[in-house]
Amino acid sequence: RYILGYHPHGVVSVGAFIGFGTDAAGLSTICPGLDFRLCTLPVNFKVPFIREVVTALGIIDSSRKAIAKQLRKDGSVVVIVVGGAREALEAHPGSSRIHLVTRKGFVREALLAGASLVPCYAFGENEVYDTLVPRGFLTRATRFLQKRGLLTYGYSMPIF
C-alpha cells in the first residue's frame, strides 16, 4: 500500500492525469500487481460527462473515506496531487512553488492504513500551460476572483 504525493499541481495536473489516471505510461506492465488510483475533487463526480470520464478511468475522489477504502486493498497506490488549488494558482512556467505546510491529511491517512509515502515530482508540469501573471488591473481582478472561488468552493477556475 502506497500514497504517492505528486507535485507540482500545475494548472490542471496534466502529468498526473496522463501518468496515473490513464495507463499511458504503461504502469500496469511496469508495476504488475499495483493498482494506481488518482484522486480528484469530489465535485468532479457531480458534473455530468466529467463524472463519467473520471469514473471510467477508475479515478477516485479525494475524500478521507474514499482514500481509506482504496488503501484497504492490497497493492493499492493512491496518487494525491498534494498542493491542491492553492498550488494550481501559483503554477507559472519557469517556477515551482510547492504548498505542503498545511497539507497533512494524506500523512494521517498513510499512518492509519500502514501505507508508505512516496514523493513524486513531475518536471515540466508548470510549463504545460502559460498562465496570467498579475500585472495589470484586469489580471489582478481575475486573480482576485480566482482566490474568491478558492475560498468559497475549494477550487478555482484556471485561466491560461
Side-chain angles (χ1 to χ4, degrees), residues 10 15 27 67 102 108-109 147:
L27 289 175
I67 291 169
T102 60
R108 178 191 59 238
E109 293 307 313
K147 288 184 179 180

Side-chain angles (χ1 to χ4, degrees), residues 117-128:
L117 288 171
V118 180
C120 178
Y121 189 87
F123 293 94
E125 179 73 51
N126 286 343
E127 276 64 47
V128 175

Side-chain angles (χ1 to χ4, degrees), residues 70-148:
Q70 185 63 34
L71 288 174
R72 282 195 287 273
K73 302 172 185 173
D74 286 335
S76 63
V77 181
V78 174
V79 181
I80 303 173
V81 184
V82 181
R86 291 197 195 292
E87 196 170 281
L89 287 177
E90 298 296 329
H92 304 292
S95 73
S96 182
R97 299 189 77 186
I98 294 176
H99 292 265
L100 194 57
V101 174
T102 60
R103 304 298 195 145
K104 299 179 185 110
F106 72 103
V107 176
R108 178 191 59 238
E109 293 307 313
L111 289 170
L112 291 172
S116 298
L117 288 171
V118 180
C120 178
Y121 189 87
F123 293 94
E125 179 73 51
N126 286 343
E127 276 64 47
V128 175
Y129 293 104
D130 198 4
T131 56
L132 294 172
V133 178
R135 287 195 184 107
F137 170 76
L138 185 58
T139 308
R140 285 194 309 270
T142 302
R143 181 62 69 179
F144 172 78
L145 291 173
Q146 285 178 315
K147 288 184 179 180
R148 281 308 240 182

